[in-house]
Amino acid sequence: MQKTFILASLALLLLIGCGRSPYAIDKAAHDAQISEWKAKRLTRLTSETGWLTLCGLSWLKEGANAMGSDSTNAIVLPAGTAPAHAGTLTLSGGVVTLEALPGVTMTINDSVVTRATLLSDADPAVDPTVVTIGRLTIQIIKRADQLGVRVKNKDNPARVHFAGLDYFPVDLKWRVVAKFEPYVPPRVLKTPTQVNTVQEDSCPGALAFEIDGKTYRLDAVIEKGAEDRLFLMFGDATNGHETYGVGRQLYSALPDSLGNVVLDFNQAYNWPCVFTIYATCPIPPRQN
């Protein structure tokens, strides 16, 4: 590994010495790269599990939480998509147990269940349990100390009537090389969310870059379960007018052997909260 690292560093230095930036890309290749990224994003968004299907979020109370389409339930499912009374989710000591009422078909991994313990998304190494009820799915999410029920509908109007995505014109100006400034030791970034919780992320350092002669600096985080990339939450002057009011997000590769990171703001995109009120998006830290 050390030999590979040294050879890669030498290759970068040779390219720089020859007057050619190792981070350069021609317009045609860049356009193709962005087009591929847009296509993948659209596929994720419009899939049967994408953000456009999200149609409900209820926070569980200790004890039994009745679930169904009737408005008297603690967890109200969309009208016409499920029985009036479908079952119960019982929260006891941080453990959620599902119990279906007689005659109501619920499945987990295509197997019919009448009673099951549900795993949440608290551990990124373990998939949360997804329960299917007709065209609906439910799963448990954990935000801070709260456990909630996330409801998705494959026939959600937001998905059925989705009109597509709009983008700014692609411009190489917004593809910049940033210098990684590590924090030793890494910091913990406490980020508020739209559901009045605070999430804690590992912040290994900041990324400094220049656009139009002005230097910017953004704290980066490494998300749990996505340790192979950096995640940036930021706000700018477009927020609330042309982009989502709270800010946007961007992913990048980890720093290379010279501590450089390519940031392509052509791939910055809105939070899921721009599509649904039931998402739990973070709010970019003030310094970003």
Side-chain angles (χ1 to χ4, degrees):
M1 182 177 290
Q2 184 176 7
K3 183 178 179 181
T4 302
F5 175 86
I6 293 172
L7 289 174
S9 298
L10 287 173
L12 284 171
L13 291 171
L14 283 171
L15 285 170
I16 295 170
C18 294
R20 176 188 167 196
S21 170
Y23 310 104
I25 186 172
D26 64 59
K27 185 178 184 305
H30 184 246
D31 286 347
Q33 188 180 83
I34 298 301
S35 293
E36 181 182 5
W37 171 79
K38 289 179 179 179
K40 289 180 178 178
R41 183 190 172 210
L42 183 62
T43 297
R44 290 194 307 271
L45 186 61
T46 58
S47 74
E48 291 189 344
T49 58
W51 288 112
L52 294 174
T53 65
L54 184 56
C55 63
L57 175 63
S58 301
W59 300 106
L60 294 172
K61 296 180 180 179
E62 193 74 13
N65 297 262
M67 176 174 64
S69 58
D70 190 272
S71 61
T72 59
N73 289 286
I75 303 161
V76 181
L77 303 177
T81 65
H85 302 282
T88 303
L89 290 174
T90 300
L91 174 62
S92 178
V95 177
V96 180
T97 304
L98 165 73
E99 188 165 357
L101 288 176
V104 178
T105 300
M106 298 188 189
T107 63
I108 297 175
N109 295 327
D110 296 324
S111 296
V112 176
V113 297
T114 56
R115 183 181 176 86
T117 298
L118 307 185
L119 301 176
S120 75
D121 66 355
D123 184 353
V126 178
D127 290 333
T129 307
V130 177
V131 180
T132 299
I133 311 170
R135 297 288 286 174
L136 300 180
T137 63
I138 66 167
Q139 67 182 72
I140 306 302
I141 66 170
K142 185 175 184 180
R143 300 294 181 267
D145 294 327
Q146 299 182 82
L147 287 169
V149 185
R150 174 172 280 173
V151 183
K152 292 185 176 182
N153 179 9
K154 296 175 183 178
D155 300 322
N156 192 32
R159 179 177 184 236
V160 173
H161 303 297
F162 183 58
L165 296 164
D166 292 323
Y167 290 94
F168 293 108
V170 177
D171 192 337
L172 277 169
K173 167 186 175 179
W174 301 110
R175 183 181 183 274
V176 299
V177 179
K179 180 62 69 174
F180 179 65
E181 299 175 348
Y183 293 141
V184 182
R187 299 176 181 177
V188 174
L189 197 65
K190 295 185 177 182
T191 308
T193 73
Q194 296 286 66
V195 290
N196 297 318
T197 60
V198 176
Q199 66 181 43
E200 295 187 354
D201 296 298
S202 174
C203 177
L207 296 171
F209 56 94
E210 187 176 289
I211 295 178
D212 290 338
K214 183 176 179 179
T215 299
Y216 297 87
R217 193 171 180 276
L218 298 174
D219 276 342
V221 304
I222 292 183
E223 296 179 299
K224 294 177 182 177
E227 288 80 8
D228 61 339
R229 56 186 176 172
L230 294 177
F231 180 52
L232 292 171
M233 300 172 274
F234 71 96
D236 63 21
T238 69
N239 299 157
H241 304 283
E242 298 165 293
T243 62
Y244 179 54
V246 175
R248 287 184 289 165
Q249 55 187 332
L250 175 68
Y251 286 95
S252 77
L254 296 174
D256 64 19
S257 58
L258 297 180
N260 292 327
V261 175
V262 173
L263 296 179
D264 195 338
F265 288 95
N266 293 285
Q267 294 183 18
Y269 61 106
N270 288 321
W271 295 103
C273 287
V274 80
F275 303 111
T276 173
I277 62 173
Y278 301 110
T280 59
C281 307
I283 299 170
R286 187 176 299 275
Q287 66 270 26
N288 282 13

